[in-house]
């Protein structure tokens, strides 16, 4: 087999692959596993809550729904700014890319701050992650501080908060690279996979908000 | 060999590798080195897990018998072995760690860590994995997990003792099992290992989808790649569920939550559901790759195309899918609505259909083949035979009414060892002996390999088949001293026989270790294609250089064209151009578009 023949043949052979670059494919595959992770946690929440409805307060009794609704809105806005950042990268608009990425980082950090305030207020009202095992009921027998409610609430929202934190850190790095001019109109895979992760985290929050706060 | 179109000059350029030792062998991003790293790590754990089994078998042969002190027991601290007699707490740790280490640190990395890394790029015709650095990270995450797991033996209170399934609340509260730090280490180690497996799975899936050589359509992939691909999907989707469950368990252990503790309205059954929702797919993670290796080796050894290639692929997919919906059969005895029990019983039994398709196709492959009984082939045939026995006892356990008697007896132990040792491990022996020449450039000793095979086959059956009888007699598994029960006391001679066979089985494995290490340095130099096989890895030098192929191979056909009339020889490599000038055929349209 001569070398010329070896080069000529591939064009007639079917080229395998998804037509998606590796990084994006890898992110999609990784997000599938994240879906399963949150499915497990949400499933545990639903089973515990259905088995022991008495341990859970009605929506709005303990949790501050308007505040978290505002927070949900902020997170959805951050998805919009992420889309704008990606669109700017597609158009080769460096300034737009940097500004929209900065806005996304800021909105993500804003979400986390409000979540921290929410945690602080809840804990100071006596709604703690877990009570001592053998001290199930509070001194006045109130609903607040029931271990099952507290620990499922903080576990679910906490793991989401952790994902947002990781997202904000990675996005800050992406923004730093954008300011260094790392992304061009032809090559901005980093922005795209960052966006995929970010939208996934937002989507999970919408499901969590519905299940934990509204139902 | 002359028919193989490999530009040797170009290959020689690649062979010259000037990376420093550490980048080449320790922190390497080369998928082949990472596969070999996994091989050494998991063989070490295989040895450790086997040693733990030997200690357990000593206790079961002569339970708490001062006449038969545990050999070397005086070397162990008083908290484990007192006056040569093993303490019950230590027996519980042994039993837990034997299962955990062999499932998570030996069989799983041997099947997936070693061969997914080594074979997928080579058999797909890719230069490396899709994410080489992630691949390196995956191995170096598995190592600390293994260290943490073994470290549990040396902490106060001993190692985890709640069984490899760690049923809550036994595993969640130290008061029940008497173990605190060891149980926490167990949990943390498996969470870390989960991360490692996840990184691996993302890599394997991306590589198979995106990195195949031109012409390598989905239905031209060798069956090991198919099996490893589907296994990776199982790992990808099952491991995060286990990680979630383990994190909740860890919170129960160290933070004082009560996810699994009934005292504070937690649900012990929640652990079982989450664990087995991971755990049943895990069963197929531990056997599907072996299906793939054995298919490859049987076709090669019989010098015939694999019987029913498409059916084999679809059977793997069907088994993987059904594996997700049957986890409840592990919980027949845990309290379940009978209607739900029936659903799980029927769905479990349906798995027999695709499994039977595979077994009959293997038999069809052997049928009228010109079989060459080399060591890999012998192990592959033993795999089929032993897996069938394991599958048949599985049907007993799948039916609820029978399982109510058999559950938690040695019948279950016999079943799992027939599928995991007789199945997975024979598959692994077949695969290691088959790909050893490619990995290290040397042949393993045929004579030693055959002695090892026959002794292993003999002692394996002598050790594990009588366990069915123990189960019939009602001996429960995970028991420290069955002679406490009058109706089990008569089982001591049979237990002694099993133990002696198990010791012989253990000693036989030293033959394999010797053969492996000796051949590594002194074995006969391997040719490029010693088994006269078709798949792409045999068109690269042995061992392949960094980057694998001098020129990207082009694939013209499936991997099982043995004894084809098209070729003068009895094999036809995938990358050998057809005799005439290739014309674009209508069936070559990309499958993915």
């Amino acid at each position: 087999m001569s070398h010329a023949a070896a080069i000529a043949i591939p064009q007639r052979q079917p080229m395998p692959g998804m037509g998606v670059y590796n990084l994006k494919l890898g992110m999609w595959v990784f997000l599938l596993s994240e879906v399963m992770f949150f499915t497990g946690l949400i499933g545990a929440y639903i089973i515990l809550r259905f088995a022991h409805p008495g341990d859970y307060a009605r929506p709005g009794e303990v949790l501050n729904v308007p505040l978290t609704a505002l927070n949900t809105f902020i997170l959805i806005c951050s998805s919009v700014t992420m889309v704008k950042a990606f669109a700017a990268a597609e158009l080769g608009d460096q300034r737009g890319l940097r500004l929209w990425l900065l806005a996304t980082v800021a909105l993500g950090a804003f979400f986390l701050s409000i979540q921290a305030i929410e945690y602080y207020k809840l804990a100071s009202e006596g709604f703690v992650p877990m009570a001592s095992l053998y001290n199930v009921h509070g001194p006045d027998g109130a609903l607040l501080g029931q271990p099952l409610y507290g620990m499922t609430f903080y576990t679910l929202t906490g793991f989401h908060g952790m994902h947002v934190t990781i997202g904000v850190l990675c996005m800050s790095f992406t923004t730093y690279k954008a300011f260094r001019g790392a992304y061009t109109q032809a090559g901005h895979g980093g922005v795209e996979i960052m966006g995929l992760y970010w939208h996934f985290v937002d989507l999970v929050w919408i499901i969590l908000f519905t299940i934990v706060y509204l139902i | 060999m002359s028919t193989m179109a490999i530009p040797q000059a170009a290959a020689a350029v690649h062979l010259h590798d000037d990376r420093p030792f550490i980048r080449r062998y320790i922190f390497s991003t080369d998928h082949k080195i990472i596969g070999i790293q996994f091989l050494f790590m998991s063989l070490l754990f295989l040895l450790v897990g086997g040693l733990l089994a030997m200690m357990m078998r000593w206790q079961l042969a002569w339970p708490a018998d001062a006449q038969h002190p545990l050999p070397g027991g005086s070397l162990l601290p008083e908290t484990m072995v007192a006056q040569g007699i093993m303490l019950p707490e230590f027996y519980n740790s042994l039993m837990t760690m034997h299962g955990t280490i062999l499932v998570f640190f030996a069989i799983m990395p041997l099947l997936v860590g070693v061969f997914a890394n080594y074979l997928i790029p080579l058999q797909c015709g890719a230069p490396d994995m899709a994410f080489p650095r992630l691949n390196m990270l995956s191995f170096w995450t598995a190592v600390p997990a293994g260290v943490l797991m073994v470290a549990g033996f040396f902490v106060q209170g001993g190692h985890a003792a709640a069984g490899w399934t760690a049923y809550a609340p036994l595993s969640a509260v130290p008061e029940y099992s008497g173990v605190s730090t060891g149980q926490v280490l167990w949990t943390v180690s498996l969470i870390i290992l989960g991360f490692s497996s996840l990184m691996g799975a993302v890599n394997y899936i991306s590589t198979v989808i995106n990195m195949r050589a031109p012409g390598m359509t989905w239905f031209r992939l060798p069956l090991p790649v198919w099996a490893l691909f589907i296994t990776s999907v199982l790992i990808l989707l099952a491991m995060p569920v286990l990680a979630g469950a383990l994190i909740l368990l860890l919170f129960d252990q160290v933070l004082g939550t009560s996810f699994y503790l009934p005292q504070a309205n937690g649900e012990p059954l929640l652990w079982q559901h989450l664990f087995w929702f991971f755990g049943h797919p895990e069963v197929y993670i531990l056997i599907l790759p072996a299906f793939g290796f054995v298919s490859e080796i049987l076709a090669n050894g019989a010098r015939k195309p694999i019987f029913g290639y498409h059916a084999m692929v679809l059977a793997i997919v069907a088994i993987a899918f059904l594996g997700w919906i049957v986890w409840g059969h592990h919980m027949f005895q845990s309290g379940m609505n009978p209607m739900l029990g029936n659903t799980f019983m029927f769905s479990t039994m349906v798995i027999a259909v695709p499994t039977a398709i595979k077994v009959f196709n293997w038999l069809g492959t052997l049928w009228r083949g010109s079989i060459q009984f080399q060591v890999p082939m012998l192990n592959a045939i033993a795999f089929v035979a032993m897996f069938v026995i394991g599958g048949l006892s599985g049907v007993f356990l799948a039916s609820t009414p029978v399982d109510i008697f058999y559950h938690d007896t040695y019948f279950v132990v016999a079943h799992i060892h027939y599928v995991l040792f007789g199945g997975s491990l024979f598959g692994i022996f077949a695969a290691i002996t088959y790909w050893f020449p490619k990995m290290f450039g040397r042949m393993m000793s045929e004579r030693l390999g055959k002695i090892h095979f026959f002794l292993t086959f003999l002692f394996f059956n002598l050790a594990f088949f009588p366990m069915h009888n123990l189960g019939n007699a009602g001996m429960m598994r995970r028991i420290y001293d069955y002679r406490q029960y009058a109706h089990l006391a008569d089982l001591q001679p049979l237990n002694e026989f099993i133990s002696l066979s198990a010791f012989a089985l253990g000693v036989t494995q030293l033959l394999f270790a010797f053969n492996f290490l000796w051949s590594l340095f002194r074995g006969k130099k391997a040719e490029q294609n010693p088994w006269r096989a078709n798949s792409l890895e045999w068109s690269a030098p042995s061992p392949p250089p960094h980057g694998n192929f001098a020129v990207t191979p082009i694939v013209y056909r499936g991997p099982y064209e043995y004894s084809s009339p098209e070729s003068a020889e009895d094999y036809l490599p995938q990358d050998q151009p057809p005799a005439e000038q290739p014309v674009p055929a209508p069936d070559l349209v990309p499958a993915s578009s």
Side-chain angles (χ1 to χ4, degrees), chain B residues 383-403:
Chain B
F383 167 92
V384 178
M386 296 301 97
F387 185 75
V388 165
I389 297 180
L392 289 178
S393 57
V395 178
F396 287 71
L397 298 172
S399 33
T400 337
V402 187
D403 184 69

Side-chain angles (χ1 to χ4, degrees), chain B residues 213-385:
Chain B
M216 182 63 92
T217 56
W218 281 100
F219 284 111
R220 283 179 184 173
L221 280 175
L223 285 171
V225 176
W226 260 114
L228 289 164
F229 176 70
I230 301 295
T231 306
S232 306
V233 174
L234 288 182
I235 293 177
L236 183 87
L237 302 181
M239 270 299 181
V241 179
L242 177 70
L246 283 170
I247 286 168
L248 300 187
L249 181 66
L250 185 67
F251 285 176
D252 276 6
Q253 286 168 345
V254 299
L255 295 182
T257 58
S258 56
F259 288 102
Y260 305 127
L261 299 177
Q263 301 95 315
N265 284 350
E267 291 285 327
L269 273 180
L270 176 61
W271 167 263
Q272 293 194 22
H273 278 293
L274 288 175
F275 182 85
W276 285 118
F277 187 74
F278 145 81
H280 200 78
E282 170 75 9
V283 169
Y284 294 102
I285 294 170
L286 296 171
I287 196 75
L288 286 183
F291 284 178
F293 307 150
V294 163
S295 306
E296 179 93 356
I297 292 164
L298 284 180
N300 177 275
R303 313 307 295 167
K304 273 181 63 190
I306 189 89
F307 189 92
Y309 172 90
H310 287 81
M312 290 299 248
V313 172
L314 294 176
I316 293 176
V317 177
I319 291 171
F321 171 75
L322 290 171
W324 283 105
I325 57 170
V326 300
W327 79 91
H329 69 227
H330 294 268
M331 297 162 63
F332 283 156
Q333 286 282 62
S334 307
M336 188 185 275
N337 183 324
M339 189 67 95
L340 202 57
N342 285 347
T343 314
F344 279 123
M345 175 169 97
F346 291 129
S347 53
T348 303
M349 288 185 166
V350 166
I351 296 186
V353 176
T355 314
I357 290 175
K358 296 199 76 72
V359 171
F360 284 116
N361 281 358
W362 286 324
L363 297 182
T365 308
L366 293 174
W367 174 251
R368 307 188 82 175
S370 40
I371 300 175
Q372 298 166 354
F373 290 104
Q374 283 141 332
V375 178
M377 186 63 174
L378 288 172
N379 281 295
I381 294 172
F383 167 92
V384 178

